[in-house]
């Protein structure tokens, strides 16, 4: 994977701009689209733990593209937001309490 995140973001935004689709990309519509694509990803696993990797990869890419567009539309620095969420999760799920444990932080 040779591209940096900023280049990926630029490509996703350019794809949308080239097609004049930005007019449809309100935060509300993008949130709906993320949820719809997530459901399509889940459908890849609906009846069996076996799955078509290519189909799942394409659905995952759709989700990520919409997430990038939503962050851009809302003026969110997605890299900073992810790093901040990791920091907060590290506080809620310290390694010594959560290692190998799937319980929610309120149950640790």
């Amino acid at each position: 994977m040779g591209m940096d995140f900023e280049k990926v973001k630029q490509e996703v935004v350019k794809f949308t701009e080239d097609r004049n689709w930005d007019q449809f990309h309100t935060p509300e519509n993008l949130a709906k689209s993320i949820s719809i694509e997530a459901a399509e990803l889940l459908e890849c696993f609906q009846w069996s733990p076996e799955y078509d990797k290519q189909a799942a990869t394409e659905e995952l890419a759709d989700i990520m593209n919409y997430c990038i567009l939503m962050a851009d539309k809302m003026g969110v620095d997605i890299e900073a937001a992810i790093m901040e969420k990791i920091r907060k999760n590290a506080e809620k799920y310290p390694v010594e309490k959560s290692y190998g444990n799937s319980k929610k932080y309120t149950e640790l």
Side-chain angles (χ1 to χ4, degrees), residues 80-94:
I82 290 169
M83 295 308 294
E84 177 63 13
K85 186 63 178 177
I86 290 171
R87 185 194 65 73
K88 286 181 177 181
N89 283 343
E91 289 177 9
K92 290 195 296 190
Y93 296 96

Side-chain angles (χ1 to χ4, degrees), residues 29-74:
N29 285 344
L30 290 166
K32 291 174 188 176
S33 296
I34 291 165
S35 183
I36 291 164
E37 294 298 338
E40 290 178 10
L41 175 60
L42 188 57
E43 190 175 33
C44 294
F45 304 91
Q46 186 172 13
W47 303 114
S48 168
E50 295 182 23
Y51 61 94
D52 177 333
K53 185 175 180 181
Q54 182 61 36
T57 299
E58 289 179 15
E59 297 304 339
L60 184 59
D62 286 340
I63 295 163
M64 297 301 295
N65 286 340
Y66 280 128
C67 288
I68 289 167
L69 289 169
M70 187 165 187
D72 184 65
K73 179 64 72 172
M74 294 174 60

Side-chain angles (χ1 to χ4, degrees), residues 90-91 93-99 101 108:
E91 289 177 9
Y93 296 96
V95 173
E96 59 276 2
K97 289 184 178 180
S98 60
Y99 186 84
N101 189 332
L108 292 176

Side-chain angles (χ1 to χ4, degrees), residues 5-18:
F5 184 76
E6 191 57 37
K7 177 69 174 160
V8 171
K9 177 184 167 186
Q10 289 171 5
E11 290 295 322
V12 172
V13 170
K14 182 181 182 319
F15 182 89
T16 298
E17 288 173 349
D18 288 350

